[in-house]
Short mmCIF file of all heavy atoms in Angstrom, two decimals:
data_model
loop_
_atom_site.label_atom_id
_atom_site.label_comp_id
_atom_site.label_asym_id
_atom_site.label_seq_id
_atom_site.Cartn_x
_atom_site.Cartn_y
_atom_site.Cartn_z
N SER A 78 -1.98 10.37 -4.88
CA SER A 78 -2.31 9.60 -6.11
C SER A 78 -1.51 8.44 -6.28
O SER A 78 -1.64 7.65 -7.24
CB SER A 78 -2.14 10.64 -7.36
OG SER A 78 -0.83 11.16 -7.37
N ALA A 79 -0.23 8.37 -5.59
CA ALA A 79 0.58 7.35 -5.77
C ALA A 79 0.02 5.88 -5.37
O ALA A 79 -0.77 5.81 -4.37
CB ALA A 79 1.88 7.51 -4.96
N ASP A 80 0.41 4.95 -5.99
CA ASP A 80 -0.05 3.52 -5.60
C ASP A 80 0.62 3.01 -4.47
O ASP A 80 1.75 3.29 -4.13
CB ASP A 80 0.14 2.60 -6.87
CG ASP A 80 -0.71 1.32 -6.81
OD1 ASP A 80 -1.80 1.40 -7.31
OD2 ASP A 80 -0.25 0.28 -6.25
N ALA A 81 -0.10 2.17 -3.69
CA ALA A 81 0.46 1.70 -2.38
C ALA A 81 1.36 0.41 -2.52
O ALA A 81 2.01 -0.02 -1.63
CB ALA A 81 -0.69 1.42 -1.51
N ALA A 82 1.32 -0.21 -3.64
CA ALA A 82 2.07 -1.50 -3.86
C ALA A 82 3.26 -1.20 -4.83
O ALA A 82 3.20 -0.45 -5.77
CB ALA A 82 1.14 -2.49 -4.51
N ARG A 83 4.33 -1.89 -4.45
CA ARG A 83 5.62 -1.88 -5.35
C ARG A 83 6.09 -3.22 -5.48
O ARG A 83 6.21 -3.94 -4.53
CB ARG A 83 6.67 -0.98 -4.59
CG ARG A 83 6.41 0.47 -4.57
CD ARG A 83 6.48 1.04 -6.04
NE ARG A 83 6.28 2.53 -5.97
CZ ARG A 83 5.04 3.14 -5.91
NH1 ARG A 83 4.08 2.43 -5.96
NH2 ARG A 83 5.03 4.41 -6.01
N PRO A 84 6.53 -3.64 -6.77
CA PRO A 84 7.07 -5.03 -7.01
C PRO A 84 8.43 -5.04 -6.33
O PRO A 84 9.17 -4.06 -6.30
CB PRO A 84 7.15 -5.08 -8.47
CG PRO A 84 7.21 -3.61 -9.03
CD PRO A 84 6.40 -2.85 -8.08
N VAL A 85 8.81 -6.12 -5.82
CA VAL A 85 10.07 -6.42 -5.14
C VAL A 85 10.91 -7.40 -6.02
O VAL A 85 10.47 -8.53 -6.16
CB VAL A 85 9.90 -6.96 -3.71
CG1 VAL A 85 11.33 -7.12 -3.14
CG2 VAL A 85 9.10 -5.96 -2.94
N GLU A 86 12.03 -6.96 -6.56
CA GLU A 86 12.79 -7.94 -7.46
C GLU A 86 13.52 -8.88 -6.62
O GLU A 86 13.85 -8.60 -5.39
CB GLU A 86 13.74 -7.10 -8.32
CG GLU A 86 13.10 -6.02 -9.17
CD GLU A 86 12.13 -6.74 -10.21
OE1 GLU A 86 12.30 -7.89 -10.54
OE2 GLU A 86 11.15 -6.09 -10.63
N ALA A 87 14.05 -9.94 -7.20
CA ALA A 87 14.68 -10.95 -6.42
C ALA A 87 15.96 -10.48 -5.69
O ALA A 87 16.24 -10.89 -4.54
CB ALA A 87 15.00 -12.15 -7.29
N ILE A 88 16.76 -9.62 -6.41
CA ILE A 88 17.96 -9.04 -5.75
C ILE A 88 17.52 -8.26 -4.54
O ILE A 88 18.32 -8.29 -3.53
CB ILE A 88 18.76 -8.19 -6.80
CG1 ILE A 88 20.07 -7.69 -6.15
CG2 ILE A 88 17.84 -6.95 -7.29
CD1 ILE A 88 20.93 -8.79 -5.70
N ASP A 89 16.41 -7.54 -4.53
CA ASP A 89 16.00 -6.81 -3.27
C ASP A 89 15.53 -7.72 -2.26
O ASP A 89 15.58 -7.41 -1.05
CB ASP A 89 15.07 -5.67 -3.71
CG ASP A 89 15.58 -4.64 -4.64
OD1 ASP A 89 16.84 -4.36 -4.34
OD2 ASP A 89 14.95 -4.26 -5.55
N GLN A 90 14.86 -8.84 -2.72
CA GLN A 90 14.57 -9.90 -1.57
C GLN A 90 15.73 -10.36 -0.89
O GLN A 90 15.74 -10.50 0.28
CB GLN A 90 13.73 -11.02 -2.37
CG GLN A 90 12.45 -10.71 -2.90
CD GLN A 90 11.84 -11.84 -3.72
OE1 GLN A 90 12.58 -12.68 -4.29
NE2 GLN A 90 10.51 -11.88 -3.78
N TYR A 91 16.77 -10.58 -1.68
CA TYR A 91 18.07 -11.06 -0.98
C TYR A 91 18.67 -9.94 -0.05
O TYR A 91 19.08 -10.23 0.98
CB TYR A 91 19.08 -11.50 -2.08
CG TYR A 91 20.49 -11.73 -1.35
CD1 TYR A 91 20.64 -12.87 -0.55
CD2 TYR A 91 21.41 -10.77 -1.61
CE1 TYR A 91 21.85 -12.93 0.06
CE2 TYR A 91 22.67 -10.98 -0.94
CZ TYR A 91 22.92 -11.97 -0.19
OH TYR A 91 24.12 -12.16 0.53
N ARG A 92 18.67 -8.71 -0.64
CA ARG A 92 19.16 -7.65 0.16
C ARG A 92 18.34 -7.52 1.58
O ARG A 92 18.93 -7.22 2.57
CB ARG A 92 19.04 -6.32 -0.60
CG ARG A 92 20.25 -6.18 -1.71
CD ARG A 92 19.72 -4.94 -2.61
NE ARG A 92 20.74 -4.86 -3.61
CZ ARG A 92 20.61 -4.18 -4.79
NH1 ARG A 92 19.36 -3.59 -5.00
NH2 ARG A 92 21.46 -4.14 -5.67
N HIS A 93 17.08 -7.69 1.50
CA HIS A 93 16.20 -7.59 2.61
C HIS A 93 16.66 -8.83 3.56
O HIS A 93 16.82 -8.48 4.84
CB HIS A 93 14.80 -7.75 2.20
CG HIS A 93 13.83 -7.83 3.34
ND1 HIS A 93 12.57 -8.29 3.22
CD2 HIS A 93 13.90 -7.46 4.69
CE1 HIS A 93 11.94 -8.24 4.32
NE2 HIS A 93 12.72 -7.70 5.23
N ARG A 94 16.82 -9.87 3.06
CA ARG A 94 17.28 -11.06 3.85
C ARG A 94 18.56 -10.76 4.44
O ARG A 94 18.85 -11.15 5.69
CB ARG A 94 17.24 -12.36 3.04
CG ARG A 94 15.87 -13.11 3.00
CD ARG A 94 15.60 -13.78 4.26
NE ARG A 94 14.27 -14.43 4.20
CZ ARG A 94 13.75 -15.23 5.22
NH1 ARG A 94 14.50 -15.25 6.30
NH2 ARG A 94 12.61 -15.73 5.18
N ALA A 95 19.55 -10.36 3.68
CA ALA A 95 20.93 -10.08 4.12
C ALA A 95 20.88 -9.11 5.31
O ALA A 95 21.62 -9.23 6.24
CB ALA A 95 21.78 -9.70 3.04
N LEU A 96 20.12 -8.02 5.14
CA LEU A 96 20.06 -6.99 6.16
C LEU A 96 19.48 -7.61 7.47
O LEU A 96 19.99 -7.27 8.52
CB LEU A 96 19.17 -5.83 5.65
CG LEU A 96 18.80 -4.72 6.65
CD1 LEU A 96 20.05 -4.00 7.14
CD2 LEU A 96 17.82 -3.78 6.00
N HIS A 97 18.45 -8.34 7.25
CA HIS A 97 17.86 -8.97 8.49
C HIS A 97 18.74 -9.89 9.09
O HIS A 97 18.86 -9.98 10.42
CB HIS A 97 16.49 -9.64 8.04
CG HIS A 97 15.57 -9.96 9.17
ND1 HIS A 97 15.65 -11.10 9.98
CD2 HIS A 97 14.62 -9.23 9.74
CE1 HIS A 97 14.68 -11.02 10.99
NE2 HIS A 97 13.99 -9.87 10.71
N ALA A 98 19.66 -10.70 8.28
CA ALA A 98 20.61 -11.48 8.96
C ALA A 98 21.68 -10.73 9.72
O ALA A 98 22.12 -11.10 10.78
CB ALA A 98 21.18 -12.37 7.89
N ALA A 99 22.09 -9.61 9.16
CA ALA A 99 23.03 -8.66 9.86
C ALA A 99 22.38 -8.25 11.21
O ALA A 99 23.18 -8.24 12.26
CB ALA A 99 23.42 -7.53 9.02
#
Side-chain angles (χ1 to χ4, degrees):
S78 60
D80 198 89
R83 288 290 182 278
V85 181
E86 301 299 333
I88 183 61
D89 295 323
Q90 291 173 336
Y91 169 72
R92 287 169 177 159
H93 178 201
R94 275 284 179 179
L96 173 62
H97 201 269

